[in-house]
Amino acid sequence: MKSLNPLVLYEECIRLAKMSGCKKMGFGAILVDTAMNKIIARACNSPMRPLAHICEPECIRNKIPSRTESMIGACAHAEEQCMFAAASLGVPLARCEIFIQGVRANGTTLTRQGVEFTCIRCATEMWLSGLRGVNVWFEDEWHLIRPETAMQQAFLYATQIRELHTQT
């Protein structure tokens, strides 16, 4: 079976991220069944109709430090949508990995500071669902992070950002 091309996955994540309706930052995600070497789902973060009004005319997230207070906002995260799609298809998430990449509102690609995953909301859902892992793009290649590690990274990121904002 032919392997999925890492660069094609990256480019597809960027394409999906640019389709996002989020006014702060777009994310594209691809869920891959690693046992079958098959793409199961693709998604971008997108506003949920019942909450869309909280981002009009300006996104409420623009007043909140990135990757903190993750339950405040109108968007369903790309990772969540991929995991829900797999669940509806009966695909065991234990054999799946998510590939995720973002773009800023101005269309520039998100550049990570390291091999990190900083959304505690999605990291928690990944861990609870038994997902095999999340892949992040750093220094021109994908890096696999286990959900437990992603949760720890996201917690540290969110608490450090919060501390910085309360000190000023």
Side-chain angles (χ1 to χ4, degrees), residues 75-117:
C75 284
H77 292 198
E79 303 94 321
E80 293 172 312
Q81 293 183 64
C82 282
M83 289 185 288
F84 295 149
S88 71
L89 295 170
V91 176
L93 287 171
R95 66 183 197 208
C96 293
E97 295 178 8
I98 285 183
F99 294 78
I100 182 86
Q101 181 56 37
V103 296
R104 291 181 173 71
N106 66 7
T108 60
T109 304
L110 171 69
T111 305
R112 296 184 186 279
Q113 302 302 310
V115 177
E116 61 186 3
F117 186 82

Side-chain angles (χ1 to χ4, degrees), residues 1 5 8 12 30 63 82 91 112 136 141 143:
M1 187 178 295
N5 182 314
V8 171
E12 177 70 0
I30 299 172
K63 299 173 185 146
C82 282
V91 176
R112 296 184 186 279
V136 298
E141 64 183 351
H143 297 268

Side-chain angles (χ1 to χ4, degrees), residues 109-142:
T109 304
L110 171 69
T111 305
R112 296 184 186 279
Q113 302 302 310
V115 177
E116 61 186 3
F117 186 82
T118 55
C119 178
I120 195 140
R121 172 174 158 177
C122 289
T124 300
E125 291 173 9
M126 290 173 191
W127 183 77
L128 287 169
S129 72
L131 185 78
R132 185 166 184 254
V134 57
N135 287 276
V136 298
W137 189 260
F138 179 67
E139 295 184 343
D140 298 326
E141 64 183 351
W142 291 109

